[in-house]
Amino acid sequence: MRVVIAEDNVLLSAGLELILSTRDIEVAEVVTDGPGLLAAVGRHQPDAVIADVRLPPTFHDEGVRAALELRRERPGLPVLVLSQYVEKIYARELLSDGSGAVGYLLKDRVSRVAEFVDALRRVAAGGTVMDPEVVAQLLTSAAARGPIDSLTAREREVLTLMARGLGNGEIAAELVITENAVHKHIGNIFSKLSLPTTTAGHRRVLAVLAYLNA
């Protein structure tokens, strides 16, 4: 796998390069701003992009804007966005095209190397990965709006694991329940939220999170 990184923090970008190199992932180029990211992707045609939400010169939303532009130009390009804080509007924008191959992680997650690399590989494979803290805040903010309140504690757990990109078998192993039980919980979730059932894992997550953050 080859990736391009957009990150202006030298220590973090160096750490990312080191982490990825030890996992047989090539870093084609590291850039520090949005225009640099667009140009680097054009030069290298990477398998995935890792981008900070906030980049120079204003440190507002240049990184995520560049990522969204890349997704418009190259539909389906895997993009993993890193953020210092939970910024729900950016999570929603990344999810908006419904095509998967996106991830939104807090920077703290990078220090959990195995989780971070697993998230990158899931995104590169077309999956959707959301930071557990992002999901928790989406669930909390949505709780007062109706249907989400009807989910049981177990269904919320399943929903959170779905948002992390886990498949039914992985959810079953995580919760120590059967896959049939997971399938039933997912069916209940979609029924309670009035969402269509689909077999594509990342599309399920996109639908649920789009609903929660509508």
Side-chain angles (χ1 to χ4, degrees):
M1 186 196 309
R2 298 171 70 246
V3 302
V4 167
I5 298 173
E7 172 57 63
D8 68 294
N9 183 309
V10 176
L11 290 178
L12 180 55
S13 63
L16 288 170
E17 283 193 89
L18 179 61
I19 288 171
L20 298 177
S21 67
T22 62
R23 299 300 195 280
D24 296 321
I25 299 173
E26 177 189 350
V27 177
E29 189 172 348
V30 177
V31 298
T32 58
D33 57 26
L37 175 58
L38 299 177
V41 169
R43 282 192 296 271
H44 300 289
Q45 301 296 311
D47 300 305
V49 167
I50 301 172
D52 191 346
V53 165
R54 299 172 183 264
L55 292 172
T58 68
F59 296 96
H60 179 50
D61 61 358
E62 288 86 348
V64 74
R65 292 296 170 203
L68 291 168
E69 184 174 340
L70 285 170
R71 295 271 293 180
R72 286 191 292 270
E73 294 176 354
R74 297 171 172 79
L77 174 68
V79 172
L80 177 59
V81 170
L82 302 178
S83 180
Q84 189 70 41
Y85 311 103
V86 175
E87 299 176 274
K88 289 179 283 187
I89 187 171
Y90 299 140
R92 184 181 67 233
E93 289 187 72
L94 286 168
L95 293 169
S96 64
D97 68 5
S99 62
V102 294
Y104 187 99
L105 294 181
L106 297 183
K107 287 186 175 181
D108 288 348
R109 200 68 52 185
V110 175
S111 63
R112 304 175 188 181
V113 174
E115 285 186 36
F116 170 70
V117 174
D118 180 63
L120 176 60
R121 293 192 186 281
R122 289 178 187 274
V123 169
T128 300
V129 177
M130 302 300 290
D131 194 283
E133 183 61 28
V134 176
V135 179
Q137 291 203 22
L138 291 176
L139 284 168
T140 300
S141 65
R145 295 203 293 269
I148 194 69
D149 239 357
S150 66
L151 297 183
T152 66
R154 177 64 85 186
E155 287 163 358
R156 286 171 178 256
E157 289 178 322
V158 170
L159 178 61
T160 299
L161 294 174
M162 285 170 60
R164 283 172 49 190
L166 274 62
N168 287 12
E170 293 167 308
I171 294 173
E174 182 84 11
L175 299 179
V176 196
I177 58 178
T178 67
E179 285 195 48
N180 283 340
V182 172
H183 182 76
K184 180 179 178 180
H185 287 311
I186 291 173
N188 289 341
I189 291 168
F190 279 102
S191 176
K192 290 178 180 180
L193 300 184
S194 300
L195 294 168
T197 302
T198 171
T199 57
H202 71 271
R203 294 188 187 280
R204 299 182 311 181
V205 176
L206 290 170
V208 173
L209 292 183
Y211 177 89
L212 294 177
N213 211 28

